[in-house]
Amino acid sequence: MNTSTAHPSFHAASTLKGVLPPHLWRVLARNGITTIEQAAESYPEKLLQMPSVGPRTFRKIEESLFPGKRYAPAQEQYMAPQADLDQATKALPFFRRTQNALRRHDLK
């Protein structure tokens, strides 16, 4: 039984170079991910924490490697006032800011 979250046709090809567009596999390779198995293990939290992986890059990788899946960050219970939002955003780690950006882009 196959328990991987990656697309089933990717099991024959183990490298990302032939599967993803060059700019996407280079981003992952710079972060030490060169195989589909490594990408599947890193999805979604580790991918979101990587430098150069913002909301758009994350969605492109997700669409290419994990068709039918869509990571949706949990909605926060507390909404900060607009004046406090800018200061709070600067203090959050990169992972949290990326999750917030994914939420904003997905509200369209």
Side-chain angles (χ1 to χ4, degrees):
M1 182 173 179
N2 182 5
T3 58
S4 174
T5 58
H7 193 275
S9 65
F10 293 151
H11 293 291
S14 62
T15 64
L16 295 171
K17 196 170 186 174
V19 177
L20 292 174
H23 67 283
L24 293 178
W25 65 258
R26 281 190 211 116
V27 166
L28 293 176
R30 280 193 302 264
N31 289 289
I33 296 180
T34 57
T35 66
I36 295 164
E37 292 81 16
Q38 289 172 329
E41 290 171 5
S42 300
Y43 178 81
E45 286 86 10
K46 289 182 184 178
L47 289 178
L48 288 170
Q49 294 176 14
M50 292 179 182
S52 302
V53 178
R56 289 184 184 145
T57 302
F58 177 77
R59 289 293 183 216
K60 289 177 185 176
I61 292 170
E62 184 178 54
E63 290 169 3
S64 298
L65 296 180
F66 310 103
K69 289 204 171 261
R70 188 162 181 89
Y71 173 72
Q75 293 291 332
E76 291 184 23
Q77 298 275 335
Y78 170 73
M79 292 300 291
Q82 187 62 32
D84 295 338
L85 189 59
D86 293 335
Q87 292 298 332
T89 303
K90 291 177 186 175
L92 294 174
F94 182 75
F95 175 68
R96 184 64 121 193
R97 286 193 311 261
T98 304
Q99 282 189 324
N100 290 338
L102 282 171
R103 277 190 217 100
R104 280 193 311 272
H105 290 292
D106 290 343
L107 292 177
K108 295 179 183 179

